[in-house]
Amino acid sequence: MGKNAHAENPCGGIITLLLPLLTRTLRLKVRREAYAWLNAAAAEVNEIYNYCNETGYKAATRTDIKRRWMSGFDLCYLTAGASQYFEKIGASTIQSICVHYAQKRIAARRVKLRWRVSRGARRSLGWIPFKAAGLKRKGVCLRFAGKCFRVFDRERLEGVKWQGGCFAQDPVGDWWLCLPVKQEGQESVAPLEAVGIDLGLKAIAVTSDGERLEAGRWTLRFAQKLASAQRRGHKRQAKRIHRKAARCRADALHKFSRQIVDRYQNIVVGDVSSLKLAKTRMAKSVLDSGWGMLRNFLEYKSQQAARGFEVVDEKNTTVTCFPCGALTGPRGLNGLIVRSWVCSNCGALHERDVNAARNTLIGSRCWTSMRGNEPSHWQILPSSAYSVREAGIETARAAA
């Protein structure tokens, strides 16, 4: 629960507001002198993880009446006392591995997960979980399992109470300390009311007010350097180039999402599926755009700033005329070339992406049934959903 805040009531008295507590993960880079110890500890973590994987699979595939899905408590009971056979990790880390494995297997709905490999070309990235009490401050260092670590930007941990986190390794080989912390939400009033966002390829995001985030083409920008590194067999340099492209993409999406959250109170985004389009010829451009990452950024930043965030169906938003609601826009693959079009019904000139963003915003305001399968007098047909305006909603109320 959050802390209490007080506000004045216009009718007199004081209103008590409950500000929510949000979870944020601090990601701090570990200094290089601890990499050897972390690599050895990660190999021991893989042994425990694979033991849980094998034991859980055997218990779930038994042919007698003792067949069962083992929980995290069951795995912790079976691994009790195993810490004496390992040099790096302790009992709290082993329990964290068992609980995490049980939760991940339930989420995946599979009797067996992928094995964690400690050596070779297919080596799994290092991962060492721990409980909140397993990591403690010691001067300018952090102490875990009898080992002291130094991290960059340790000032961010001043006055912070963390929860159970983990040490995680990236593809380049660097180690990062990931700590979930609780932070109080900060309520503020945005200067503008609402915005609709249309996701695309030529422009990653276009708002209903005409602002746009142009496609960075980060994969294409580093394609020559990446190909040169791969031809020369420099795997580590190739991984660094991949990380550079990912950081450039994340930086652009972070800046754009921050501007949107600071400016608008309600944010509406279309539900375009990047996973489905990734199976087409546009896969490279779709994955380079980072639509899912942008939606995640907008969602958690909206929660932190007490903004409204919604993902709506974007069907027919491109072909629907915003003023009159007629379906006169360009269709099909050949229609993707058309960036501006004139409505044959009302004669309005539209920019394709801006018109789609406006229809996305209007579509989020439609009245829909909230009572299950029974018919609703407030429900609006999908064919006319994007032609609804505020006046139209009042008309629908009066007609009902």
Side-chain angles (χ1 to χ4, degrees):
M1 301 296 291
K3 297 181 179 180
N4 293 334
H6 301 285
E8 295 183 358
N9 190 350
C11 299
I14 298 177
I15 301 176
T16 302
L17 303 177
L18 191 63
L19 300 179
L21 287 178
L22 304 174
T23 301
R24 181 183 179 185
T25 301
L26 298 180
R27 191 165 179 262
L28 307 176
K29 187 176 181 181
V30 182
R31 294 187 179 269
R32 187 167 293 274
E33 63 263 16
Y35 284 9
W37 190 94
L38 291 172
N39 290 330
E44 297 180 355
V45 170
N46 294 343
E47 293 183 22
I48 298 295
Y49 186 93
N50 292 336
Y51 170 79
C52 296
N53 197 18
E54 182 181 4
T55 305
Y57 176 73
K58 289 181 178 179
T61 56
R62 292 177 64 122
T63 57
D64 53 7
I65 60 175
K66 295 184 179 180
R67 180 175 58 185
R68 58 178 299 184
W69 278 62
M70 304 195 71
S71 63
F73 177 81
D74 297 331
L75 295 173
C76 290
Y77 178 78
L78 293 176
T79 56
S83 59
Q84 60 180 332
Y85 300 101
F86 296 98
E87 298 180 359
K88 309 297 181 182
I89 60 178
S92 61
T93 302
I94 295 176
Q95 294 176 3
S96 300
I97 298 169
C98 296
V99 173
H100 177 84
Y101 170 80
Q103 294 175 351
K104 189 174 182 181
R105 189 181 62 173
I106 293 175
R109 297 182 179 180
R110 298 176 61 183
V111 295
K112 184 175 68 173
L113 301 179
R114 183 178 299 178
W115 302 101
R116 294 191 62 86
V117 183
S118 301
R119 299 175 183 83
R122 297 183 178 273
R123 185 179 66 87
S124 304
L125 297 181
W127 168 69
I128 307 172
F130 55 83
K131 297 182 179 180
L135 184 70
K136 299 181 180 180
R137 294 184 176 92
K138 187 178 180 180
V140 297
C141 302
L142 296 173
R143 187 175 181 85
F144 167 71
K147 174 72 174 179
C148 290
F149 299 89
R150 292 193 303 160
V151 297
F152 293 93
D153 299 331
R154 62 180 179 84
E155 296 80 9
R156 299 172 61 185
L157 297 178
E158 296 295 336
V160 172
K161 185 178 180 180
W162 54 75
Q163 303 175 6
C166 69
F167 291 93
Q169 189 180 30
D170 62 9
V172 179
D174 295 334
W175 282 89
W176 301 79
L177 175 61
C178 303
L179 292 176
V181 298
K182 289 286 187 179
Q183 291 187 348
E184 184 178 342
Q186 299 178 357
E187 291 189 272
S188 60
V189 179
L192 300 179
E193 180 182 357
V195 65
I197 301 178
D198 177 68
L199 304 178
L201 296 180
K202 186 174 182 180
I204 297 177
V206 179
T207 68
S208 55
D209 293 337
E211 300 180 11
R212 61 182 61 238
L213 174 62
E214 298 294 341
R217 311 293 183 191
W218 296 283
T219 303
L220 182 62
R221 186 188 307 176
F222 297 99
Q224 293 184 355
K225 294 182 179 180
L226 180 61
S228 176
Q230 291 176 342
R231 283 194 298 266
R232 289 182 281 111
H234 289 184
K235 296 182 179 181
R236 185 173 179 83
Q237 185 178 2
K239 292 178 180 179
R240 288 185 177 275
I241 295 174
H242 277 297
R243 186 174 67 175
K244 178 66 174 179
R247 286 179 173 178
C248 292
R249 182 187 304 109
D251 179 70
L253 298 180
H254 269 300
K255 292 178 179 179
F256 178 78
S257 60
R258 174 50 58 190
Q259 293 176 0
I260 295 298
V261 171
D262 290 343
R263 191 174 302 174
Y264 299 96
Q265 184 66 31
N266 297 307
I267 303 171
V268 183
V269 187
D271 64 342
V272 58
S273 176
S274 57
L275 296 179
K276 294 180 180 179
L277 291 177
K279 301 178 182 179
T280 64
R281 293 180 298 176
M282 301 181 292
K284 193 172 184 178
S285 298
V286 169
L287 297 177
D288 196 26
S289 299
W291 294 336
M293 186 183 298
L294 178 59
R295 274 198 294 259
N296 292 337
F297 289 168
L298 290 172
E299 183 176 6
Y300 85 80
K301 291 178 182 179
S302 298
Q303 292 177 356
Q304 293 178 354
R307 302 282 193 265
F309 178 80
E310 187 178 1
V311 179
V312 300
D313 185 11
E314 63 166 14
K315 183 179 180 181
N316 293 331
T317 54
T318 303
V319 300
T320 303
C321 176
F322 173 72
C324 68
L327 304 178
T328 58
R331 294 177 176 272
L333 294 177
N334 294 330
L336 296 176
I337 306 175
V338 181
R339 309 312 304 176
S340 300
W341 54 281
V342 178
C343 177
S344 59
N345 186 36
C346 64
L349 175 63
H350 297 295
E351 186 179 354
R352 180 191 183 97
D353 298 332
V354 176
N355 176 73
R358 291 175 178 175
N359 287 327
T360 300
L361 177 60
I362 294 299
S364 66
R365 301 176 182 176
C366 296
W367 292 86
T368 57
S369 175
M370 301 298 293
R371 297 181 291 177
N373 297 327
E374 58 190 30
S376 173
H377 300 288
W378 302 97
Q379 191 170 4
I380 300 174
L381 297 178
S383 60
S384 60
Y386 298 104
S387 61
V388 175
R389 299 296 179 272
E390 299 297 338
I393 294 177
E394 298 297 335
T395 305
R397 287 181 177 178

